[in-house]
Amino acid sequence: MDIIYAIWLRNVKRYVRSKSRIVGSLGMPLFFLLVLGFGLNSVVVIPGTGEGYLEFLVPGVIAMTVLFTSISSGVQIIWDKQFGFLKETLVAPVSRLEIMLGQTLGGATTAFIQGVIILVLSVFIGLNIVSAVGFLIAFLFMILIGIAFTAFGIAIASRMEDMHGFQLIMNFVIFPIFGLSGALFPIDSLPSWLKPVALLDPLTYGVEGLRYGLSGTAQIDPMVCFVVLAGFTIAMTVLGSYLFRKITI
Amino acid sequence: MSAIHVENLTRMFHDFVAVNKISFDIESGEIFGLLGPNGAGKTTTISMLSTMLKPTSGTATVNGRDLLTDEDGVRKSIGIVFQDQSLDEELTAYENMDFHGRLYRIPKNIREERIFELLTLVELEERKNDLVKTFSGGMRRRLEIARGLLHRPKVLFLDEPTLGLDPQTRNHLWKYIEQLNEEMGITIILTTHYMEEADRLCDRIAIIDHGTIIALDTAQNLKNKVGGDVVTIQTPDGDRISSTITAPWVEQIEQRDGYVTINLHNADKHLSEIVTLLNGNEIEITSISVRKPTLEDVFLYYTGRTIREQEADGREAIRMRMVHRTARR
Ligand SMILES: Nc1ncnc2c1ncn2[C@@H]1O[C@H](COP(=O)(O)OP(=O)(O)OP(=O)(O)O)[C@@H](O)[C@H]1O
Ligand SMILES: [Mg+2]
């Protein structure tokens, strides 16, 4: 536990200190919220819910924020490798599993905080809060998304020599995960051949769970969302730990 | 008990042999030097002994713990200062130390006390709350050494501890290293390609080249082996000298870049003979000097090359590494 805490603490300290990173990574979600949310609010009506597009969009943008922050926290390991700091942790008499878990929880924490910032900002620009319990449900899903995708980032980072390959992963893995997840549109309105693909995307369940918590309605049963996302989180943690164990410097 | 016992340790990268069946023993409390040019295999050796790299074959024990079967035991026994920087620049000096202390499970009160002691020792106590990215190269190096000592290792590895530092800082670090060894009895194994560093610090020196240990002894014994003295002759006629001076008291004769070096005993006795011989054969002497051999001569003796001519200046190397890193940031 001490080791996990030490590594978690380092990650959180670095996060709190990197003001430019915090602000920078809030830029895109805010842009989505303001431009899409307000721009399309009066044009788009989400069938079957009666809510405005802004209400619909907020959970999606929160999921996006948590997704991108957690992936980049996981990939942080490559920087640690390049700047030599990883050696300091690897040569210590601690298990790789502890290092990996500390890194995962640290990344998930920062991703969660970023998500909460977007959530709070959304309340300011007009999101109606349905219930306190709904908030907690939303938090739960944010944490799960954060853990799952930080672990996913670590898994990727463990197999990569340097940052060069990252752009590729970004374009062919992470953007599709985001784009297909129903963060920006209801999955029910997808053409029938594309809907199964969206249902294979783990983030879909995160977005729908968040949506249930924040607006009270969702297109997938929240229990199903929870089970699928929790399963994915465990799978990613196992995969991340496995690949991280084999990392060499 | 020997602090480190190495037997036929070998490491290959694909079919390239970086470290080739090296064997040696390091006594407890000794300062042991691995001296060799770039690419000799020093870092690879240290990486294997510190569990960061698996040997291709061979065995070793560190502090009595087997490298292959008891990685954790080895890790608990050692401290290491890597050749390349391994600090977190976004944290302060104190936080870097604190992180290390937590990794080694040092209880809070002891941790704080030791961090204070060590930061004072390396004269960084006043800067402890500054971010490492504001530190100079020498300060970083001192912090890394302090950090490596925090958990009181039995064996300390220092991979090129003074590479790229100015002479003053280097002198300073040498004093710390000696102090650590004397006062705490820590066994130290250091790598370097600075002759004076090896000469000044090390009880024994292993000269390593192309992955093989070519000589291992105290600095004094290594120098004695070369011969009692070195005569250096500057001349435009280098080629003819080696064929002219063939007396039995010549132990070795090498010529390079307009200089001829002769290893021999009792140079004062033979000097006039050399001059007479050269004059008799009308070989021009620009200058001639006699000195005691240095480790550089030892290296030349064993390899036929000087250590300097096969590598860029060390400072250059570290600068290039830094540029490389910044570019990737
Ligand atoms: N990961 C690796 N893959 C392939 N070759 C390697 C690797 N690491 C080291 N080598 C090779 O092994 C040889 C020994 O390298 P090593 O780093 O041990 O040298 P060194 O004595 O520490 O040199 P320096 O003084 O430059 O630090 C070099 O030829 C190097 O190119
Ligand atoms: Mg080296």
Side-chain angles (χ1 to χ4, degrees):
Chain A
M1 255 353 250
D2 298 355
I3 308 300
I4 296 177
Y5 173 70
I7 292 168
W8 176 87
L9 186 65
R10 167 190 178 239
N11 276 282
V12 172
K13 271 186 183 156
R14 283 180 65 105
Y15 164 75
V16 173
R17 249 162 237 178
S18 61
K19 303 270 182 319
S20 63
R21 219 180 93 204
I22 301 177
V23 176
S25 58
L26 289 176
M28 186 154 72
L30 273 180
F31 175 83
F32 269 77
L33 270 186
L34 296 177
V35 174
L36 292 182
F38 286 124
L40 298 177
N41 204 22
S42 49
V43 193
V44 180
V45 177
I46 304 297
T49 60
E51 62 185 7
Y53 187 59
L54 185 66
E55 248 93 25
F56 178 83
L57 186 65
V58 168
V61 170
I62 292 175
M64 168 177 113
T65 311
V66 177
L67 170 75
F68 286 125
T69 315
S70 52
I71 296 253
S72 65
S73 304
V75 170
Q76 165 80 31
I77 285 192
I78 296 184
W79 294 119
D80 283 349
K81 196 173 180 174
Q82 253 167 32
F83 285 92
F85 187 76
L86 189 60
K87 278 187 277 196
E88 151 77 355
T89 0
L90 293 185
V91 83
V94 300
S95 74
R96 296 272 167 109
L97 182 64
E98 287 170 303
I99 301 173
M100 191 278 179
L101 290 179
Q103 197 74 25
T104 305
L105 294 180
T109 305
T110 59
F112 175 71
I113 297 174
Q114 294 282 96
V116 170
I117 294 176
I118 292 293
L119 179 56
V120 171
L121 289 175
S122 312
V123 172
F124 277 113
I125 60 174
L127 177 78
N128 296 316
I129 301 161
V130 181
S131 71
V133 179
F135 244 72
L136 294 180
I137 294 175
F139 283 174
L140 174 70
F141 278 95
M142 284 155 73
I143 292 169
L144 284 178
I145 299 173
I147 295 178
F149 285 99
T150 309
F152 181 65
I154 292 175
I156 295 173
S158 304
R159 295 304 296 269
M160 266 169 34
E161 269 309 307
D162 50 39
M163 276 322 251
H164 296 310
F166 188 60
Q167 198 57 41
L168 215 65
I169 306 272
M170 202 68 191
N171 287 333
F172 289 97
V173 182
I174 299 165
F175 277 119
I177 286 180
F178 168 63
L180 286 168
S181 69
L184 303 179
F185 49 78
I187 47 171
D188 279 345
S189 56
L190 282 175
S192 57
W193 62 271
L194 203 55
K195 196 176 164 191
V197 184
L199 289 178
L200 279 178
D201 179 349
L203 191 64
T204 301
Y205 301 88
V207 170
E208 286 299 310
L210 265 165
R211 201 162 272 153
Y212 175 79
L214 293 180
S215 66
T217 53
Q219 289 164 324
I220 302 176
D221 184 328
M223 234 10 240
V224 173
C225 290
F226 175 76
V227 171
V228 173
L229 190 61
F232 177 70
T233 304
I234 293 169
M236 282 304 110
T237 310
V238 171
L239 178 72
S241 320
Y242 174 74
L243 292 178
F244 184 71
R245 247 182 39 169
K246 299 179 156 187
I247 202 169
T248 51
I249 46 111
Chain B
M1 187 190 77
S2 59
I4 295 183
H5 170 76
V6 179
E7 222 174 289
N8 290 324
L9 205 60
T10 301
R11 171 70 202 205
M12 307 191 35
F13 294 106
H14 305 289
D15 50 5
F16 173 76
V17 189
V19 171
N20 193 0
K21 288 194 181 160
I22 58 171
S23 302
F24 56 85
D25 274 279
I26 302 179
E27 290 306 311
S28 196
E30 196 174 13
I31 301 185
F32 186 88
L34 281 174
L35 176 70
N38 283 151
K42 304 182 294 292
T43 299
T44 307
T45 304
I46 298 279
S47 299
M48 286 191 282
L49 293 178
S50 60
T51 74
M52 298 302 280
L53 197 63
K54 294 246 180 302
T56 307
S57 64
T59 55
T61 61
V62 176
N63 192 31
R65 312 300 190 91
D66 193 303
L67 200 62
L68 304 176
T69 58
D70 186 10
E71 270 195 352
D72 236 38
V74 173
R75 288 181 185 174
K76 283 189 183 124
S77 313
I78 63 169
I80 181 163
V81 174
F82 296 101
Q83 179 167 348
D84 297 325
Q85 186 191 302
S86 62
L87 296 163
D88 186 338
E89 303 197 352
E90 305 291 332
L91 297 184
T92 65
Y94 186 90
E95 287 166 340
N96 268 287
M97 295 289 279
D98 189 62
F99 179 79
H100 186 89
R102 288 172 190 271
L103 277 192
Y104 286 79
R105 300 187 166 88
I106 306 170
K108 191 171 195 310
N109 50 344
I110 303 179
R111 193 164 73 218
E112 283 171 355
E113 199 176 297
R114 281 198 203 157
I115 292 177
F116 174 80
E117 267 172 34
L118 284 165
L119 286 181
T120 309
L121 173 74
V122 298
E123 294 167 50
L124 285 174
E125 171 59 20
E126 310 214 314
R127 299 289 304 267
K128 69 176 179 188
N129 291 323
D130 293 347
L131 293 181
V132 170
K133 66 179 167 198
T134 66
F135 282 16
S136 72
M139 291 163 73
R140 287 166 196 231
R141 217 55 184 150
R142 282 175 0 229
L143 179 60
E144 286 184 305
I145 293 182
R147 185 180 66 178
L149 292 169
L150 190 60
H151 56 286
R152 302 255 160 106
K154 291 280 187 302
V155 178
L156 181 64
F157 294 99
L158 302 172
D159 197 355
E160 310 264 3
T162 65
L163 184 67
L165 301 183
D166 60 73
Q168 197 190 340
T169 315
R170 184 174 297 165
N171 246 302
H172 227 79
L173 271 177
W174 286 347
K175 286 204 191 98
Y176 289 137
I177 294 171
E178 284 169 332
Q179 200 179 336
L180 290 173
N181 174 252
E182 275 161 30
E183 291 174 11
M184 305 192 192
I186 298 175
T187 308
I188 296 175
I189 168 164
L190 68 85
T191 79
T192 183
H193 51 240
Y194 294 126
M195 301 295 169
E196 337 144 57
E197 182 162 285
D199 212 349
R200 155 140 185 207
L201 288 177
C202 300
D203 297 315
R204 283 189 307 148
I205 297 165
I207 296 184
I208 179 167
D209 190 29
H210 296 310
T212 316
I213 292 183
I214 48 181
L216 195 169
D217 214 325
T218 62
Q220 198 50 55
N221 286 348
L222 286 172
K223 290 178 200 166
N224 288 345
K225 187 80 169 275
V226 169
D229 299 296
V230 179
V231 172
T232 309
I233 305 164
Q234 189 184 4
T235 169
D237 271 341
D239 293 334
R240 284 169 55 215
I241 292 192
S242 19
S243 49
T244 310
I245 305 178
T246 50
W249 40 260
V250 172
E251 311 215 334
Q252 198 180 38
I253 186 160
E254 290 272 350
Q255 71 123 339
R256 54 180 53 273
D257 311 331
Y259 287 90
V260 173
T261 50
I262 303 169
N263 301 326
L264 73 174
H265 283 95
N266 306 323
D268 38 354
K269 229 166 69 192
H270 300 296
L271 197 57
S272 61
E273 199 175 331
I274 292 175
V275 175
T276 317
L277 260 173
L278 295 186
N279 278 340
N281 286 283
E282 291 179 345
I283 295 174
E284 192 188 326
I285 301 174
T286 316
S287 74
I288 185 163
S289 64
V290 183
R291 59 183 170 81
K292 291 286 169 196
T294 63
L295 286 173
E296 186 74 71
D297 300 306
V298 175
F299 193 81
L300 182 63
Y301 175 86
Y302 280 107
T303 66
R305 291 164 296 145
T306 62
I307 202 167
R308 286 202 184 89
E309 73 191 34
Q310 35 180 315
E311 63 185 30
D313 178 40
R315 194 166 309 199
E316 197 62 32
I318 206 171
R319 229 193 52 221
M320 277 162 57
R321 237 185 308 258
M322 285 184 144
V323 168
H324 179 70
R325 284 188 168 179
T326 334
R328 289 196 166 194
R329 204 185 251 271

